[in-house]
Amino acid sequence: NAGVTQTPKFRVLKTGQSMTLLCAQDMNHEYMYWYRQDPGMGLRLIHYSVGEGTTAKGEVPDGYNVSRLKKQNFLLGLESAAPSQTSVYFCASSYGGSPSTDTQYFGPGTRLTVL
Amino acid sequence: AQKVTQAQTEISVVEKEDVTLDCVYETRDTTYYLFWYKQPPSGELVFLIRRNSFDEQNEISGRYSWNFQKSTSSFNFTITASQVVDSAVYFCALSPTTNAGGTSYGKLTFGQGTILTVHP
């Protein structure tokens, strides 16, 4: 199993450009998440999904959109990139069953720079 | 609102020293889960441990041990006989058991992370 994979690994954008980050998991997990990691701030939840066709806002959703058309994929879109969105983006997934057993597993991250 | 504080921004030790990483949390939930993740220089996040709030037993896994004290809202992580490969950023995280809508999911709130450097 590949686990959680993210595409691309690195990307440089100019202000105002758009892009989509792809997250894929092969563990048949119901729940998927997008986080951003900034220096000194840990990881913050952007959006999440509790199943195919569902999405919800996290802690810092502004400027991002997401879609979960297939269970195994979770896309994060930036419609008009801004320098403040320069960050490392992590995708995670979890089984989503009982809270007592639910653990999030993370992808390798995407380093995005917006100039 | 939930909050996780890792007051130690950076720790530097020499190999074979023991080191404790502190984690203090705030939550109004009566049941919750606590986690530790490791982020080595390669960048990925590696799950280390999950602990639920009604189980205050300490846990040991090899050189790693965790001390959960509900009375002080702390979940500290100790590495015994540290090794260079332990050098990483360590994150403590907190998750409720359910969200406001009643759907069970593990929304993680992370601490700021502690950078551990183990020198040979």
Side-chain angles (χ1 to χ4, degrees):
Chain A
N1 287 350
V4 181
T5 57
Q6 293 182 230
T7 309
K9 289 185 169 53
F10 303 93
R11 186 70 185 269
V12 178
L13 291 178
K14 293 181 180 178
T15 297
Q17 288 185 318
S18 63
M19 78 162 294
T20 300
L21 281 66
L22 170 63
C23 175
Q25 53 92 6
D26 61 2
M27 297 175 282
N28 201 33
H29 283 170
E30 285 294 332
Y31 293 1
M32 296 186 75
Y33 315 79
W34 275 107
Y35 293 87
R36 59 178 288 173
Q37 181 181 19
D38 301 295
M41 300 187 73
L43 281 78
R44 293 178 293 168
L45 182 65
I46 305 172
H47 286 280
Y48 64 94
S49 167
V50 298
E52 182 178 318
T54 73
T55 62
K57 294 180 180 179
E59 183 185 353
V60 287
D62 293 342
Y64 305 96
N65 56 75
V66 288
S67 64
R68 184 98 181 269
L69 299 179
K70 293 183 179 180
K71 184 177 181 178
Q72 63 268 32
N73 296 336
F74 194 30
L75 278 63
L76 177 71
L78 286 73
E79 289 187 351
S80 180
S84 60
Q85 295 177 303
T86 293
S87 187
V88 181
Y89 291 85
F90 284 96
C91 176
S93 71
S94 67
Y95 179 68
S98 165
S100 63
T101 58
D102 196 49
T103 297
Q104 293 182 30
Y105 294 92
F106 286 78
T110 294
R111 186 173 295 275
L112 174 66
T113 301
V114 182
L115 302 175
Chain B
Q2 299 186 119
K3 185 178 180 181
V4 177
T5 302
Q6 295 178 253
Q8 303 152 308
T9 305
E10 292 191 51
I11 300 176
S12 182
V13 299
V14 177
E15 210 169 18
K16 297 184 183 178
E17 283 186 29
D18 298 347
V19 56
T20 295
L21 309 181
D22 297 333
C23 173
V24 174
Y25 62 91
E26 297 174 27
T27 180
R28 293 181 180 177
D29 294 333
T30 53
T31 57
Y32 47 88
Y33 293 88
L34 294 160
F35 301 78
W36 276 94
Y37 283 86
K38 174 182 179 180
Q39 186 177 39
S42 53
E44 75 278 17
L45 273 89
V46 178
F47 166 75
L48 294 178
I49 189 171
R50 163 196 194 93
R51 169 66 66 197
N52 63 50
S53 56
F54 45 88
D55 181 1
E56 292 194 62
Q57 279 193 333
N58 292 332
E59 182 154 343
I60 298 175
S61 176
R63 296 183 298 105
Y64 295 171
S65 63
W66 291 269
N67 182 286
F68 175 36
Q69 292 197 340
K70 206 167 182 177
S71 60
T72 57
S73 297
S74 65
F75 186 44
N76 297 338
F77 173 31
T78 297
I79 301 174
T80 303
S82 60
Q83 300 176 1
V84 173
V85 294
D86 295 326
S87 296
V89 183
Y90 290 87
F91 290 98
C92 180
L94 170 68
S95 167
T97 54
T98 60
N99 69 355
T103 301
S104 173
Y105 78 98
K107 177 181 177 293
L108 288 174
T109 298
F110 283 84
Q112 303 92 319
T114 296
I115 302 170
L116 174 64
T117 303
V118 182
H119 299 282

